[in-house]
Amino acid sequence: MSAQIIDGKLLASNVRAEWKRRAVKLTEQGLRPGLAVIMVGDNPASEIYVRNKVRACSEIGIHSEVHHFFGNTHQNEVLDCIRILNHNQHVHGILVQLPLPLHYANNQVITSIAIEKDVDGFHLYNVGALVTGNTNFAPCTPYGVMTMLEQHHIAIEGKHAVIVGRSNIVGKPMAMMLLEHGATVTICSSKTRDLSYFTRSADILVVATGQPQMVTAEMVKPGAVVIDVGINRLPDGQLCGDVEFGSVREVAGYITPVPGGVGPMTITMLLCNTILAAERCQQNASI
Ligand code: NDP
């Protein structure tokens, strides 16, 4: 039997409609949510991601501004910009589009963002908050995955969740969130021996490697929930995930497509976090 497709595009539009009402309410009360995006250099993929974020902001009624620096800009200039944005009352969320140029110290830049405006959830304080079960801002991609599981009433507690990929922005926070919800979690990486042994035991399999179609049907337990985070471009220009969709959908119970799966949810959760930051700002002002 073919897997049920988790339609990220549809879910994203439902979630956005709900949050748009909150953004409109804030705006009517005189506080329009605002997001500032910092971009350094001219990475073509980053330019597309930033453009998509700006468009999504405008569709939901969030003010957005892009601070685009040349690749050879001194890091201090970017830090100065972030410091000013930290005090800008029209900006409730700040995100730094990664990757930064190689000569930048990522952590120094990210930790210069005010904790209450770190809508990507990458500041070391917010990472610590997540790990200790005190989430301040959930990182957008794993937050999007959790929302997909929740909206499809997929039970997490007691399940074996296997995550392939251990990056700071996807794999590790994903593991923490699933752990927090009572899953038994295994994290795999390129160093894992006999990857299939682990993936075949997964009730929930999250794949975030950047390796096109590396997870095949033989690696998946029948009925498993398969979440494909990967976004890859094949030589013919087509987009694909890290999972071989055609064969895996015949084995899995649920599967996310690429495109139209996790991608739209990631941007959506960024919008939610920005509106949340603005709501908190309003609450703090009224205390
Ligand atoms: P990274 O390159 O930072 O991390 C990739 C991880 O995958 C690493 O931990 C690496 O292991 C592991 N890995 C690579 N090859 C293998 C392999 N053959 N077997 C097992 N593990 C492997 O990538 P990101 O986490 O940033 O992104 C992963 C993918 O998700 C990319 O395709 C990216 O484009 C996509 N992405 C999609 C988003 C969305 O919104 N849909 C958002 C963010 C990312 P090791 O640590 O040992 O090197």
Side-chain angles (χ1 to χ4, degrees):
M1 209 176 75
S2 213
Q4 189 173 328
I5 311 285
I6 301 179
D7 185 342
K9 225 172 148 182
L10 177 66
L11 183 54
S13 95
N14 292 341
V15 174
R16 284 184 202 196
E18 185 190 324
W19 281 80
K20 187 174 184 173
R21 283 193 282 276
R22 290 166 71 159
V24 168
K25 189 173 164 204
L26 279 171
T27 306
E28 283 169 357
Q29 291 166 348
L31 190 148
R32 186 177 184 205
L35 174 72
V37 180
I38 311 272
M39 187 178 160
V40 189
D42 49 10
N43 180 320
S46 293
E47 281 179 10
I48 294 171
Y49 291 141
V50 169
R51 213 180 306 137
N52 289 343
K53 285 168 188 172
V54 167
R55 192 188 317 126
C57 280
S58 108
E59 282 166 6
I60 205 173
I62 294 177
H63 155 77
S64 68
E65 51 189 63
V66 179
H67 299 261
H68 194 168
F69 296 89
F70 291 116
N72 60 1
T73 306
H74 195 281
Q75 181 177 297
N76 285 344
E77 209 179 307
V78 174
L79 293 178
D80 286 342
C81 173
I82 293 174
R83 275 187 210 108
I84 292 167
L85 291 170
N86 282 342
H87 296 286
N88 181 335
Q89 58 175 359
H90 301 294
V91 169
H92 307 95
I94 303 171
L95 83 78
V96 174
Q97 186 63 43
L98 300 175
L100 286 167
L102 291 175
H103 62 282
Y104 275 53
N106 276 12
N107 270 340
Q108 215 177 328
V109 176
I110 303 292
T111 53
S112 71
I113 299 173
I115 292 161
E116 65 278 9
K117 295 192 179 189
D118 171 40
V119 286
D120 254 345
F122 295 159
H123 189 294
L124 295 183
Y125 174 91
N126 284 327
V127 173
L130 178 79
V131 171
T132 53
N134 299 290
T135 305
N136 187 34
F137 288 112
C140 302
T141 301
Y143 184 15
V145 173
M146 294 305 288
T147 305
M148 287 173 131
L149 297 177
E150 187 191 315
Q151 293 290 320
H152 281 78
H153 308 290
I154 293 169
I156 297 172
E157 196 175 297
K159 297 292 172 66
H160 184 203
V162 175
I163 298 149
V164 189
R166 56 171 169 173
S167 71
N168 290 335
I169 64 169
V170 186
K172 286 179 196 163
M174 186 77 255
M176 287 305 138
M177 288 185 195
L178 288 164
L179 194 61
E180 193 62 27
H181 281 75
T184 300
V185 178
T186 301
I187 310 177
C188 301
S189 71
S190 68
K191 307 290 183 284
T192 300
R193 292 185 195 155
D194 194 1
L195 182 65
S196 296
Y197 167 80
F198 295 100
T199 59
R200 272 201 303 266
S201 74
D203 302 306
I204 300 171
L205 178 62
V206 182
V207 191
T209 62
Q211 304 297 316
Q213 301 171 328
M214 65 161 284
V215 169
T216 54
E218 310 75 63
M219 297 169 75
V220 175
K221 177 170 153 179
V225 178
V226 179
I227 306 288
D228 189 355
V229 178
I231 303 176
N232 311 287
R233 204 170 278 284
L234 294 170
D236 66 3
Q238 270 202 318
L239 284 182
C240 75
D242 296 349
V243 173
E244 202 182 76
F245 183 83
S247 65
V248 173
R249 72 179 294 188
E250 299 305 325
V251 180
Y254 289 88
I255 190 167
T256 61
V258 177
V262 177
M265 290 303 290
T266 295
I267 295 197
T268 300
M269 300 345 272
L270 172 68
L271 304 174
C272 299
N273 277 348
T274 304
I275 296 165
L276 182 66
E279 287 176 345
R280 287 178 182 164
C281 178
Q282 188 192 47
Q283 281 155 15
N284 288 340
S286 64
I287 290 173

